Each structure stands twice: as C-alpha cells, then as structure tokens.
Amino acid sequence: MKPLIFDGAFGTYFSQKGGQGAPELANIDRPETVLEIHREYIEAGAQAIKTNTFAANFALNEDFETIKEIVEKGWKLAVKAAKDSGVLVFADMGPIYSDNAVEEYICLTDIFLALGARNFLFETLNEADILKDVIEHIRNRAQGCTVIASFAVSQDGYSKTGRYYKSLLS
C-alpha cells in the first residue's frame, strides 16, 4: 500500500494566520481563511485534506444547529478547495470525551454521509473500542467508505486511558 500524505496542524496554522478561538468556528466566521489554508496544503503536496472539524462536537459548547453548520460548511470548504485537484477529502473527527461518545460520533457521521462523505478520519483517540459501532454504522449507511483511525500514545506506548498501543489494535 502506498503512503497517503495528509495536511496537518490546521489549528496551529490558523492561529499563525491571526485566527483566534476554536478554528472550527472559522468555517462560519472566516470561510475564506479556511479555504486558503486548505489550498495551501494542496499546493504543498497534500494528497488528502481533512475537514476543519476536528473538535466540531458538543465539546465546543455549541448547540446542535451550530455544530451541524460547522460540519456542513467545513465539508463544503474542503471539497471546494480539493475540486479538480485529485486530492481526497476526509471527514475529520477528533476525540470525544463524553459518556455519549458513540452517539455523538454517529450524529456527526450522519451529517457527513448526507453531504456525500465516503472518507472518514478519527484522530488522536485513546481507545479503539468506541469506534466499532460507529464503523459498523458507517458501513451500513454507505458502500465503499474508507475509515482511518489514529491513536495518541506517550513515548512508552500507553494511551491516556492506560491502554498499551498494541492492545488498541486487537
């Protein structure tokens, strides 16, 4: 399998461009900046870009309609930036630390699926178990989807929840 080069550190780059607050809110307030950042990553050689939705969940303390707007605009901006470039767009979701994480992920994936997303990236997770039902939900709703998950572990190989990196994959 050939490596796939993604964009990265969107929030950091957004801050360097003068953005303040949650970068996900820029999908609503500063769409031209979001589009510019996506295009710069594409020009730099990214083969896949992530929607600016890493923390677009209920942790933003926004109501559902605002979260839905962030996700919808984030998706549309990434698709617009990637148009005619051959670059893949991934619906990006970061860790959700709540008792309702599975339901929140399913809610977010349903919004993305309705927009046409078929590539999903779950980033910086501590556990794999939480995704089993979410992945099954995605696969039941749409054919041919790609789902990638990345995990955050310390230098000794353990996640914040104490899981050893090899056990995350079993």
Side-chain angles (χ1 to χ4, degrees), residues 34-152:
V34 173
L35 191 58
E36 178 184 338
I37 291 171
H38 284 316
R39 287 180 173 155
E40 287 180 23
Y41 277 119
I42 291 168
E43 289 171 15
Q47 299 164 324
I49 59 171
K50 299 171 283 188
T51 57
N52 179 33
T53 54
F54 175 80
N57 58 48
F58 300 101
L60 278 178
N61 295 320
E62 299 290 339
D63 59 80
F64 175 74
E65 289 307 314
T66 302
I67 291 168
K68 185 176 179 189
E69 183 180 8
I70 290 167
V71 170
E72 289 174 345
K73 288 188 176 183
W75 173 258
K76 290 175 183 176
L77 288 166
V79 168
K80 183 176 182 178
K83 185 177 180 185
D84 300 326
S85 70
V87 168
L88 300 172
V89 175
F90 277 74
D92 188 36
M93 289 162 274
I96 297 177
Y97 304 109
S98 82
D99 293 336
N100 300 320
V102 172
E103 292 81 10
E104 287 186 40
Y105 279 128
I106 287 173
C107 180
L108 292 170
T109 59
D110 281 346
I111 297 168
F112 279 120
L113 285 164
L115 293 165
R118 295 300 178 264
N119 300 315
F120 297 86
L121 176 62
F122 296 89
E123 281 195 85
T124 324
L125 304 177
N126 293 321
E127 297 288 338
D129 297 341
I130 197 166
L131 288 184
K132 289 177 183 176
D133 290 339
V134 178
I135 292 169
E136 183 177 332
H137 178 80
I138 292 169
R139 294 218 166 117
N140 286 336
R141 297 262 193 257
Q143 300 296 314
C145 291
T146 299
V147 178
I148 298 174
S150 71
F151 299 92

Side-chain angles (χ1 to χ4, degrees), residues 95 97 122-128 149-169:
Y97 304 109
F122 296 89
E123 281 195 85
T124 324
L125 304 177
N126 293 321
E127 297 288 338
S150 71
F151 299 92
V153 295
S154 62
Q155 295 86 342
D156 63 2
Y158 287 90
S159 72
K160 287 182 181 179
T161 57
R163 297 277 307 268
Y164 190 56
Y165 80 97
K166 288 185 179 181
S167 71
L168 291 169
L169 304 174

